Amino acid sequence: MYNEILTRGVPIRSWCPLPDTLAQSQILQLSHQPYVFGHIALMPDAHAGVGVPIGTVFATENALVPCAVGQDIGCGMCAIKTNLRTDRLTHALIRDKLLMEIRRRIPMGSNRHRKPQQEELMPSSDLPDQLTVCRTHYAFALTQLGTLGGGNHFIEFERDDEGWVWIMLHSGSRNLGVEIARYYHAKACEFSDKSGIELDPERKLAFLPVDSEPGRAYLHEMRYGMAYAFQNRSTMIDRIIETLSVYIPEVLIENRIDIPHNYVTQEVHLGKEVWVHRKGAIRAGKGEAGIIPGSQGSCSYLTEGMGNAMSFESSSHGAGRRMSRSDARKNLDLRNEIERLKRNGVIHSIHRQKDLDEAAGAYKDIETVMENQVDLTRVVTRLYPMAVLKG
């Protein structure tokens, strides 16, 4: 259940028991913005982001806030169930063959393909004139299609309680999303300056009217960024299955789920048609499928939404950070983090001190996060990590 925080602005309904100090400051600044409709929902995995905490959901009637979607537009999770039992996917096969081959076929971190990928894999090559940013960066986006990226993006082999093998992948719109976000945040700041609107000190909460020319253009470009992010995940999944089929020819995909967690969309809430901004949160309408990953080495969950109106029918998108990247590298013990993964039998990506920013200890406990949102979503399937690839 949520705690209601009353402010001089709109109320904050928080499923996060103790947001970090910067996240508290960011959410309070957002609550004072005149465009926020009704209240703000803070998910249990919430932590400080850029301008708006990751794990924030709010609605507006006629405003689009580029920073409340963020730079990784359409970032999300894809999970597939295979027809393989865990005894077919041995540690030796994963460690000695699959991970190396997947790294060869899927560029990770800041890497990209040396050659453009096939245009038919892109959402559409017939870009209308209003997609200024997408047209400008289309050629570069072709070289990043089917690439993982870095940070908290990952590829993971998992098993469920019945012994079936799953593959989960977390990635987004790569540089295309960054360019869209930067361009329209600048447009939002221009609009706010011309209108004499007082912004937050860092100018991160600038907005565009939905019915303005740049507002309409942002929606077109953001939707293309979302479609690109979906195609990026889909391309990587197909290449992972192709790689796996070399060693296990009978492998098939039995179920595929793809859930974005950075976007804005028009929905009806509290009796009004509004624009819902989800930054690091998934839609959890009644009966809707969801994916909530844990941290490296902990369980992940496939879920079903409860349709809670107070969260704008949303839930968390993961465990959420409890430490900044720099604090994790300084304060976590490398040996302890590796030992934790070994105990759980996970083939992992923690090898050096600099890798600790993505260690399990840098994240909140996923079990606690799930307990804090029992009124938002329910668990359908628990997935246990077998092997993790990071950028």
Side-chain angles (χ1 to χ4, degrees):
M1 293 293 292
Y2 64 86
N3 296 313
E4 183 148 337
I5 303 168
L6 298 177
T7 73
R8 293 180 181 177
V10 300
I12 300 164
R13 290 173 179 158
S14 177
W15 282 260
C16 183
L18 190 63
D20 59 82
T21 303
L22 180 54
Q24 290 181 46
S25 173
Q26 290 175 338
I27 204 71
L28 284 172
Q29 286 179 346
L30 179 62
S31 74
H32 295 150
Q33 299 306 308
Y35 50 69
V36 178
F37 169 79
H39 64 276
I40 299 168
L42 199 61
M43 300 296 98
D45 59 338
H47 57 283
V50 177
V52 175
I54 296 163
T56 296
V57 183
F58 69 94
T60 70
E61 290 188 71
N62 186 34
L64 303 169
V65 188
C67 269
V69 172
Q71 293 191 340
D72 203 355
I73 292 167
C75 183
M77 307 294 307
C78 183
I80 64 165
K81 182 182 181 181
T82 73
N83 63 335
L84 301 179
R85 307 292 292 180
T86 53
D87 59 357
R88 295 301 314 278
L89 200 64
T90 64
H91 268 214
L93 175 58
I94 296 173
R95 184 184 60 247
D96 300 336
K97 302 289 186 181
L98 291 178
L99 298 190
M100 185 186 307
E101 184 65 16
I102 289 169
R103 281 193 179 277
R104 188 184 70 80
R105 298 198 65 186
I106 298 176
M108 300 183 185
S110 60
N111 296 322
R112 58 191 174 98
H113 295 288
R114 293 180 181 178
K115 296 180 180 179
Q117 302 301 285
Q118 304 97 308
E119 284 203 59
E120 56 264 30
L121 296 175
M122 293 287 279
S124 171
S125 58
D126 183 23
L127 300 180
D129 290 340
Q130 61 262 44
L131 298 188
T132 303
V133 179
C134 292
R135 291 176 67 89
T136 301
H137 297 278
Y138 183 82
F140 190 80
L142 272 173
T143 67
Q144 287 197 316
L145 187 68
T147 68
L148 187 67
N152 61 351
H153 293 164
F154 65 81
I155 296 167
E156 191 162 303
F157 287 91
E158 300 172 323
R159 63 176 177 84
D160 64 20
D161 283 314
E162 296 179 351
W164 295 107
V165 172
W166 289 71
I167 300 169
M168 185 179 287
L169 187 152
H170 176 206
S171 191
S173 52
R174 309 293 280 115
N175 184 68
L176 186 63
V178 173
E179 298 296 343
I180 294 168
R182 286 175 176 169
Y183 183 89
Y184 287 98
H185 175 63
K187 291 287 185 184
C189 288
E190 287 176 16
F191 169 79
S192 298
D193 289 342
K194 289 177 183 177
S195 305
I197 296 169
E198 185 176 345
L199 296 175
D200 57 296
E202 294 185 349
R203 297 168 60 79
K204 299 298 184 185
L205 300 179
F207 73 97
L208 292 166
V210 176
D211 54 7
S212 67
E213 184 176 335
R216 289 189 293 270
Y218 174 70
L219 281 175
H220 283 298
E221 302 232 48
M222 184 215 65
R223 287 166 180 159
Y224 190 89
M226 288 186 69
Y228 177 83
F230 174 85
Q231 288 300 113
N232 186 39
R233 290 189 292 274
S234 182
T235 300
M236 284 187 280
I237 287 292
D238 289 346
R239 289 173 182 173
I240 292 167
I241 292 298
E242 288 168 7
T243 302
L244 191 50
S245 69
V246 171
Y247 303 97
I248 308 176
E250 65 270 28
V251 62
L252 295 171
I253 295 174
E254 294 201 336
N255 188 22
R256 184 190 297 238
I257 310 166
D258 193 281
I259 309 292
H261 51 235
N262 288 344
Y263 65 102
V264 57
T265 188
Q266 194 171 37
E267 299 175 0
V268 175
H269 291 279
L270 306 178
K272 283 204 171 184
E273 200 167 65
V274 291
W275 293 92
V276 179
H277 296 64
R278 292 187 176 94
K279 185 173 187 178
I282 65 173
R283 181 171 163 82
K286 191 167 183 60
E288 286 189 21
I291 305 172
I292 303 178
S295 56
Q296 186 169 184
S298 68
C299 291
S300 297
Y301 293 93
L302 304 180
T303 59
E304 188 176 82
M306 307 286 282
N308 191 317
M310 293 300 98
S311 69
F312 297 103
E313 298 187 4
S314 308
S315 72
S316 83
H317 81 313
R321 299 194 72 87
R322 73 177 186 91
M323 285 185 180
S324 69
R325 294 188 179 278
S326 58
D327 284 347
R329 293 188 190 109
K330 289 177 186 175
N331 299 321
L332 293 179
D333 185 278
L334 181 62
R335 185 178 297 178
N336 288 346
E337 293 297 329
I338 291 174
E339 185 57 36
R340 180 195 304 201
L341 291 161
K342 282 184 176 179
R343 281 198 307 270
N344 293 329
V346 180
I347 301 170
H348 59 85
S349 298
I350 305 295
H351 306 294
R352 297 160 292 182
Q353 197 74 20
K354 75 180 191 67
D355 299 330
L356 288 172
D357 61 345
E358 282 299 317
Y363 284 82
K364 299 179 184 182
D365 174 40
I366 187 64
E367 305 303 327
T368 302
V369 168
M370 298 305 293
E371 288 171 9
N372 288 336
Q373 59 181 347
V374 292
D375 56 336
L376 304 184
T377 192
R378 72 175 190 87
V379 174
V380 175
T381 304
R382 183 194 294 256
L383 299 175
Y384 305 85
M386 297 170 66
V388 185
L389 269 176
K390 302 286 290 187

